[in-house]
Amino acid sequence: MRNKMLKTMTALAASLVLFGCTSNGEDVASGGGIIGGGSSSGGSSGGLSNDGSTPTNITQGGKPVTGNFICTQGAKAYGNVTTQVGSNGLVGGLLTDLLNRLGATTVTQLLNSVSNPDNVIDGNLDTYASVSLTLGLLGGLLDSVDESVVLPSGASVPAGKFAVYGLTFPKGTVSLSLLSRVKVATYLNNVAQESNTLDQNALALLGAIGGSTPAAAFVGVKTTKAYDRATISLTPGLLSVNVGDAMRIHELCTDGDLVTAP
């Protein structure tokens, strides 16, 4: 009986090493591993596949690289990563200084603009953070809604790795021509390092928008410089709208493979 109990406890311990648990009870990968993503028909969230079929826009040194991306590692590989909602590429004290000039209402609107932000670091491509746009939030001093993944102090993703976000775009985003610009940028000690910016035309050419179903893309950079923060920004083309689900951010991928599309 004792041996049977020991075996059961050992098996349970092993399962806890492989998976963590989100606040909503879903299984998530730990240690930087990636789960979910489905097949060419899309994951359970409706469109982000991890089999080389997802349209990809990745640059290296400012130039496009060829191939479709497969995500093999998330940010958790670098320790206790966190997320922050921001604007204009700013987080922490720099963002606070800006928001202090705008008042408490703007602060609340910005912080509420990204729901479930930690889903971008749970290692599960089927979960996502959702970016919403609130009437009157942007314009003036604020021009984007950002989500940043911040590595713990002293940690950095080295050159030669990736800062790639898996994204899906609901159909309503397309019909309202909301996506003026999507940008992925890396920072080291809050100093900008590298970036990849896609405007509305680039997203349309990628096939990420304009379809009849929620469309997907992997967007980012293959790094030539180390970074300790990676930020995804949405700058809308229309500022006078309320959109509850403008863009979905599935995961920050810090490593992966580039393959020929199936």
Side-chain angles (χ1 to χ4, degrees):
M1 181 68 176
R2 182 180 180 185
N3 288 339
K4 184 176 181 180
M5 291 179 63
L6 286 173
K7 289 180 180 179
T8 301
M9 293 176 67
T10 300
L12 177 60
S15 67
L16 291 175
V17 170
L18 291 173
F19 294 94
C21 187
T22 62
S23 59
N24 59 10
E26 295 179 349
D27 288 335
V28 298
S30 63
I34 295 294
I35 61 176
S39 62
S40 58
S41 61
S44 62
S45 60
L48 182 64
S49 302
N50 198 33
D51 60 357
S53 65
T54 297
T56 297
N57 188 300
I58 294 175
T59 57
Q60 183 178 21
K63 299 179 179 180
V65 299
T66 59
N68 279 4
F69 187 72
I70 294 177
C71 182
T72 61
Q73 185 183 79
K76 287 285 189 182
Y78 295 89
N80 187 26
V81 293
T82 57
T83 62
Q84 293 188 37
V85 177
S87 183
N88 299 19
L90 303 176
V91 296
L94 295 174
L95 178 64
T96 299
D97 292 342
L98 175 61
L99 292 178
N100 282 341
R101 299 161 60 185
L102 300 176
T105 300
T106 300
V107 174
T108 301
Q109 285 183 326
L110 181 62
L111 293 178
N112 290 338
S113 293
V114 180
S115 60
N116 301 309
D118 286 350
N119 281 349
V120 304
I121 55 173
D122 66 0
N124 189 346
L125 288 169
D126 289 340
T127 62
Y128 55 84
S130 182
V131 178
S132 62
L133 300 173
T134 304
L135 181 65
L137 172 63
L138 301 178
L141 294 178
L142 300 183
D143 62 16
S144 66
V145 174
D146 306 348
E147 176 161 16
S148 291
V149 174
V150 183
L151 273 62
S153 178
S156 63
V157 179
K161 298 293 187 179
F162 290 88
V164 172
Y165 279 95
L167 308 173
T168 55
F169 300 91
K171 288 188 294 182
T173 303
V174 182
S175 63
L176 291 172
S177 298
L178 286 174
L179 296 176
S180 173
R181 187 169 71 246
V182 172
K183 178 181 180 180
V184 175
T186 61
Y187 298 82
L188 185 64
N189 298 322
N190 282 325
V191 176
Q193 301 297 302
E194 300 174 276
S195 65
N196 182 14
T197 302
L198 280 70
D199 61 15
Q200 183 94 6
N201 290 333
L203 287 164
L205 289 172
L206 187 62
I209 60 175
S212 60
T213 60
F218 280 116
V219 177
V221 299
K222 184 174 183 181
T223 62
T224 63
K225 302 176 182 179
Y227 69 90
D228 58 14
R229 172 164 65 97
T231 298
I232 175 83
S233 303
L234 170 62
T235 301
L238 300 176
L239 300 178
S240 57
V241 292
N242 286 309
V243 182
D245 191 10
M247 182 175 72
R248 298 170 181 176
I249 312 168
H250 289 256
E251 193 72 23
L252 171 65
C253 301
T254 57
D255 210 352
D257 298 314
L258 290 165
V259 302
T260 302

